[in-house]
Amino acid sequence: MRTLRAVINTAMRLDETITGNPVAALRVPTSNRREVDMLDIPAWWRETEKCTPIRRDLHRAMLLTGARRSSILQVRRDDVDLVKGVIKFRHMKTGGQMLFPMGLQLMLMMAARLETDEPIASPWLWPSPGSAAGHIVEPKEQRRDLPSPHEYRHHARTLLIAAGVTYAESALLLGQRLPGASGGYVHAEHLVEHLRPHAQALEDLVLRAT
């Protein structure tokens, strides 16, 4: 019904003979709000230590970037630029690519990850030789009390605000478009260095809590 309503609204703008949208008479239920428990950072950190090193680093990267599942899992080794201190996320819901400014700890973790996995000769940052895709495709741990990728986005957004990051900067770090007409004029790829202190603020908050 939401899709039909949008289609008819678009048609009304193009054809003035369409005078009303019948879907407007219907009550379209909204989705239930996702409930996400507060993250106990010290307990979470200890739980990630129980994972294999690659999955440990993946979980920590998911929190420190707040990246979407498809974005973080499909990062290639050459998408990590240690000189510029950025990770390139190619698979963005909003389209295009995103350059995420790494904090100091995340950069050190990525450097160690690249060095450790170099003998595997995989193009992926999170290689999994047993996977048909060649990389980890299921980051949710079956035997660990760890968040799902989408829950990490909730935690990252909340922690960014707790770290004093403003709404606009926290949204851009999560790869979201800013609302309103002027939001379309904001190009996050031109703001990498402006966003870096805010990414570092999230990282500092997490590390202090551990």
Side-chain angles (χ1 to χ4, degrees), residues 28-102:
V28 181
T30 57
S31 301
N32 293 330
R33 186 173 182 270
R34 181 187 290 265
E35 296 295 331
V36 178
D37 293 334
M38 184 175 179
L39 184 65
D40 182 338
I41 297 177
W44 165 80
W45 187 269
R46 291 192 299 269
E47 198 66 22
T48 61
E49 287 287 354
K50 300 175 185 177
C51 298
T52 61
I54 188 170
R55 296 185 77 90
R56 175 201 65 203
D57 290 351
L58 173 57
H59 280 276
R60 293 177 181 179
M62 285 192 286
L63 180 61
L64 296 178
T65 64
R68 292 182 178 87
R69 174 192 177 114
S70 58
S71 299
I72 192 73
L73 292 181
Q74 298 187 65
V75 173
R76 294 176 173 269
R77 289 175 61 88
D78 57 10
D79 290 331
V80 180
D81 190 329
L82 296 176
V83 175
K84 295 182 179 179
V86 297
I87 303 174
K88 182 184 294 182
F89 293 131
R90 299 177 181 272
H91 301 270
M92 300 298 295
K93 186 177 180 179
T94 54
Q97 301 176 351
M98 175 186 174
L99 297 178
F100 184 91
M102 291 185 283

Side-chain angles (χ1 to χ4, degrees), residues 130-142:
S131 168
H135 59 78
I136 295 173
V137 295
E138 182 46 73
K140 187 73 174 75
E141 304 297 334
Q142 299 300 320

Side-chain angles (χ1 to χ4, degrees), residues 1 7 12 15-16 24 35 37 39 52 61 84 121 132 138 150 156 166 173 178 183 189 204 210:
M1 288 298 102
V7 169
M12 289 172 63
D15 186 350
E16 62 183 13
E35 296 295 331
D37 293 334
L39 184 65
T52 61
K84 295 182 179 179
E138 182 46 73
H150 193 67
T166 64
L173 282 170
L178 297 182
E189 66 274 18
D204 290 344
T210 59

Side-chain angles (χ1 to χ4, degrees), residues 154-171 173-174 198 201-202 205:
H154 283 254
H155 292 311
R157 184 57 177 269
T158 303
L159 292 172
L160 281 165
I161 294 173
V165 179
T166 64
Y167 174 87
E169 276 79 4
S170 61
L173 282 170
L174 292 181
H198 302 295
L202 167 61
L205 178 66

